[in-house]
Amino acid sequence: MAQSVLDPTGRFTIAVTVSNPWLGRIFGYWGSFTVEYVDVGQLLAGSQTDAELAPATTAGLNLWIGEVEQALGRVPARSPLAEFVDVPGLAKAVAAAFVGLELYKGVDAEGADQALNALEELAVLVTAVEDMGPLVRRAVRTRLRRRHS
């Protein structure tokens, strides 16, 4: 479950919980920060044709992607999948997915929620692999190494 709120003082608070019906709460994150809303969709659209806007938009996105990358870098560090995760690429994918889902939500809120739920289910699957015993983790690692070689 993901929840975000912009409170009256101008602070943005986000709470994310990944849980499983059988295992309960698996992972959670809570954070709060100040925010100034900028319509990223409009910036991206304008950057397609404005040579001055494009580098500024990229720089702004890269600041956000850097924060996402730091957070994601902590997660797979403990995982048997760590050596197979391109954290910088995954951070860019998460940022692009967020922007896309926000735009998609404007025309199909139910579909956007379904997509977000599917991503949460994927997180549960990754966590399940991480929690398996050493023999299973070794088998997964071996199988992935064969596919990457």
Side-chain angles (χ1 to χ4, degrees):
M1 179 177 89
Q3 179 180 2
S4 59
V5 177
L6 181 60
D7 73 17
T9 66
R11 291 196 64 82
F12 185 76
T13 302
I14 185 168
V16 176
T17 302
V18 176
S19 59
N20 179 284
W22 299 286
L23 303 174
R25 185 175 185 267
I26 296 171
F27 173 79
Y29 170 79
W30 180 89
S32 174
F33 47 90
T34 58
V35 64
E36 180 180 331
Y37 180 76
V38 176
D39 189 334
V40 177
Q42 288 186 6
L43 286 174
L44 290 169
S47 295
Q48 301 294 313
T49 58
D50 187 326
E52 291 180 15
L53 185 58
T57 302
T58 300
L61 284 173
N62 284 338
L63 289 173
W64 178 46
I65 290 167
E67 294 295 322
V68 172
E69 186 175 336
Q70 284 181 8
L72 289 174
R74 291 188 295 267
V75 176
R78 313 181 301 268
S79 169
L81 307 174
E83 67 186 274
F84 306 103
V85 176
D86 172 11
V87 173
L90 183 57
K92 288 177 178 74
V94 166
F98 176 78
V99 171
L101 283 172
E102 285 299 307
L103 292 171
Y104 186 51
K105 186 193 264 183
V107 296
D108 183 1
E110 187 177 318
D113 287 342
Q114 183 181 11
L116 186 58
N117 289 338
L119 291 173
E120 288 177 359
E121 290 171 5
L122 182 60
V124 170
L125 177 62
V126 169
T127 301
V129 170
E130 291 174 355
D131 291 342
M132 291 182 175
L135 185 61
V136 174
R137 286 195 309 260
R138 182 177 295 150
V140 168
R141 217 179 283 123
T142 300
R143 180 73 182 251
L144 289 171
R145 282 185 185 138
R146 286 184 190 148
R147 292 193 52 101
H148 279 90
S149 55

